[in-house]
Each structure stands twice: as structure tokens, then as C-alpha cells.
Amino acid sequence: MRQYRTVSGFTHARLAPLIPCSESLVGAVERGTRPPTEPFTRGLERVFGLDGELLELLPAIRDVNPVWFRKWPAIEAAARSIRIYQLAVIPGLLQTADYARAVFEGEPGAMSGEVEKAIKARLQRQAILSQANPPSLSVILDEGVLLRHIGGPEVMTAQLRYLLDMMARPCVTVRIVPLSARSTAGLIGPFVLASDDDTNAAFLENAETGEVIHQAEMMHKLNQRWELLSGLAQPTYETIKIIQRVMEA
């Protein structure tokens, strides 16, 4: 929504009466604090001259993502900067379809139809990295992420090759915290930080649920944690060597 709005040259104030809706609702949907309804989305399609590009995303928002996650994709899509720390898996924004499938199939009670819907939703989220003005994506991975062969050797090799390809993009940075760092500020779990001109938010997830965070104190603590991990992470050129060594092993 934000991408189409900015390309079309609309402000929130100009767009709202054309949908029609309130200016505050336009902002809330873009920030992810309100989910888009079908009439709202059809209004956007009409104003932007689209042919289903936004409507086709509604099923993924409503049916695939759990309730506790539904706010995050909009925040992620509107962000100018995204920082991710991951302890166990490649982040969703950088996963191949086969790697994502293996991750989803590991969930209790996973059903093939639902897995494929989840994969589609995840790949749709990745489109933000291919848009005209993508957010800067900075990722710190624990080295153990590279050593866990999710989906088997072939899937993992293809995933690591894809990771290297993505690192060639100017907007994507990936760095590794080596196992030799031992105890780190990241052992407690993964987190994501997103920011734009108006919003600073974080996403925290555990085995069964997740939470979008806006509180200043929590954001400060997570930023401190990021800085500590950043200090331990290998530079990009060393990270590339680490990934290549794992692929060759």
C-alpha cells in the first residue's frame, strides 16, 4: 500500500477521501496497527488503478498468519530499516521456498495445504526487497544457523547459495556471530527491529506466540542487545568466507 501510494504521489490526507475513509485509518493500516478490510482494499485498488495486486494479499493476511503476527508484515513493509537477529534459522525474508517448507513442516500438526499457503505468504513478504526503494536489511546470524541442515544437504546448500546472492544486493547485509564468541547477548532468543520516519517497532517471538513492541524502554534494551551482538559479528567479507566453508564441508 505504501509503495503504491508514494509512487502515485498521494499523501495520507489526499488519499483518504478518495477511498473514502479517515486519514487516521490510512496511517493506521500502513503502520500495521489496523488490518485492511476488503472494502478498504478495493478502494485502494480503484484509486491506484490496480487489478487485484492488493486484494490477492488479503487471504494471506487473514488466513495464514496467526493473529499475533498479523500486525507485523505491514510494519515490515513500511520500514526504511530492518534489523534481524536470528539464533536458529535463516530469517523469513531471506528463505528459499524449499527451506521455508522444511521449517513449516516441522511445526506440530503441519498439513500440506496450510504449509503451501504459509510458504506463499512468506515469499510475498520478501517482495519488499525487490521494490524500487527497498528497506535496508541488516541481519546478524548465530553461526549455528548455518550448521543446522534444515531440509537436508541439498536444500541447505541452495539456501546458503541464495543467502550469498542476496548479500550482493546493496540493501542487504548479513554478518555471523561465530561459535567462538561463546556466551552472547543473543542466547535469550531472536528479535527484529524496524524503523521508518514515524515508527520504531520490534517483534519478539517464542515457540507459540509473538508480540509487536513499541514501548520506548523495551526498544532501548533491544537496541542495546543489537549493539552488543553487532560488536561480536564478523564483517561481511569474513561472513562470506564462513558461508562458503560451510557449503564446501
Side-chain angles (χ1 to χ4, degrees), residues 3 29 33 97 129 145 177 236:
Q3 178 183 348
V29 172
T33 56
L129 299 177
V145 172
V177 174
T236 301

Side-chain angles (χ1 to χ4, degrees), residues 177-192:
V177 174
L179 295 177
S180 58
R182 299 184 180 181
S183 179
T184 74
L187 295 181
I188 196 169
F191 58 92
V192 187

Side-chain angles (χ1 to χ4, degrees), residues 72-85:
W72 185 253
I75 294 172
E76 185 179 68
R80 292 181 179 272
S81 170
I82 301 171
R83 291 175 289 163
I84 302 174
Y85 170 72

